[in-house]
Amino acid sequence: EAQVTQNPRYLITVTGKKLTVTCSQNMNHEYMSWYRQDPGLGLRQIYYSMNVEVTDKGDVPEGYKVSRKEKRNFPLILESPSPNQTSLYFCASTGLAGGYNEQFFGPGTRLTVL
Amino acid sequence: QKEVEQNSGPLSVPEGAIASLNCTYSDRGSQSFFWYRQYSGKSPELIMSIYSNGDKEDGRFTAQLNKASQYVSLLIRDSQPSDSATYLCAVNTGTASKLTFGTGTRLQVTL
């Protein structure tokens, strides 16, 4: 089954404790991205990756890092989380369908930073 | 000006009626347009994509695109309570794979 997976699905942590949210896709897609979703603000892109070892900042990259060492994996790293990073996070993978790119989302990770 | 704008709602329609959801976008160079459905606490689910002017129908859903007016809409016929969700409009802007999302319209289908 074609899918995007994320782990963990729920995480409560404390300020300053480094964490990683994993993302994996089995569709051989080149483009992957991370979003956060906050009430009233919608989905905002944090980082994206066009391919292995190619990453770039999205609209709200501050406080986040990513890496893309393998095509299927795109982890999101918070080196020193702060309470304003409490949010719902989605990983997404984009592939061609009918000649155009269509984006598919993982199940989400709800992060709370105390 | 926001790049993709939607009325936040809630839009309330009775069961069996047609729900009409609207979206405007600012980038005239946008090439592809998507509607996602998102249930509370769940991930967005792609339900419609449209790339050329006119209508595209898929079951009870019809997407309409008017590039001259920079307007895209989603019609849901025979609305069901299970259609109650937030509908996100997304537009392909900038780089080939970057999507910009509206903040969504919450739809409530009443019995």
Side-chain angles (χ1 to χ4, degrees):
Chain A
E1 179 190 356
Q3 60 181 352
V4 180
T5 57
Q6 293 178 230
N7 282 291
R9 296 289 313 281
Y10 303 90
L11 179 60
I12 300 174
T13 189
V14 296
T15 298
K17 186 176 181 181
K18 181 179 178 180
L19 67 92
T20 299
V21 183
T22 65
C23 173
S24 183
Q25 52 95 3
N26 62 1
M27 296 168 280
N28 201 36
H29 288 166
E30 293 181 347
Y31 187 96
M32 297 181 73
S33 53
W34 276 101
Y35 294 87
R36 60 178 290 173
Q37 188 174 37
D38 303 287
L41 297 177
L43 279 162
R44 294 179 293 168
Q45 191 182 55
I46 303 170
Y47 267 94
Y48 65 94
S49 171
M50 302 288 283
N51 213 327
V52 175
E53 302 292 1
V54 181
T55 63
D56 207 348
K57 297 176 181 179
D59 300 315
V60 288
E62 292 77 20
Y64 304 95
K65 287 176 59 176
V66 293
S67 69
R68 187 89 181 275
K69 299 188 187 309
E70 306 166 279
K71 199 171 189 178
R72 63 183 292 123
N73 297 323
F74 189 42
L76 179 69
I77 303 155
L78 285 72
E79 297 237 336
S80 183
S82 62
N84 65 11
Q85 292 178 298
T86 292
S87 187
L88 180 57
Y89 291 86
F90 291 105
C91 179
S93 175
T94 302
L96 280 175
Y100 290 88
N101 290 315
E102 295 192 347
Q103 191 162 110
F104 301 93
F105 286 83
T109 295
R110 186 167 292 282
L111 172 65
T112 301
V113 183
L114 302 174
Chain B
Q1 180 188 5
K2 291 183 180 178
E3 293 185 50
V4 180
E5 294 208 46
Q6 297 180 253
N7 188 318
S8 62
L11 172 66
S12 184
V13 300
E15 185 177 5
I18 296 174
S20 178
L21 304 162
N22 304 314
C23 172
T24 59
Y25 60 94
S26 60
D27 185 351
R28 284 194 170 275
S30 301
Q31 293 295 318
S32 46
F33 308 84
F34 306 89
W35 283 99
Y36 286 81
R37 177 177 62 199
Q38 186 177 25
Y39 295 111
S40 182
K42 303 296 185 183
S43 61
E45 173 193 8
L46 181 64
I47 55 172
M48 288 291 287
S49 57
I50 186 165
Y51 311 110
S52 56
N53 280 330
D55 295 0
K56 178 182 178 182
E57 186 174 319
D58 184 359
R60 295 187 296 113
F61 299 100
T62 299
Q64 299 174 317
L65 174 61
N66 183 326
K67 290 186 178 180
S69 301
Q70 297 174 248
Y71 177 91
V72 58
S73 65
L74 179 70
L75 300 178
I76 306 175
R77 290 181 299 282
D78 188 24
S79 294
Q80 301 296 309
S82 59
D83 295 325
S84 297
T86 295
Y87 289 81
L88 304 173
C89 173
V91 177
N92 190 192
T93 61
T95 60
S97 298
K98 178 175 170 58
L99 287 184
T100 300
F101 286 82
T103 53
T105 298
R106 188 157 65 94
L107 173 66
Q108 292 178 336
V109 180
T110 58
L111 296 173

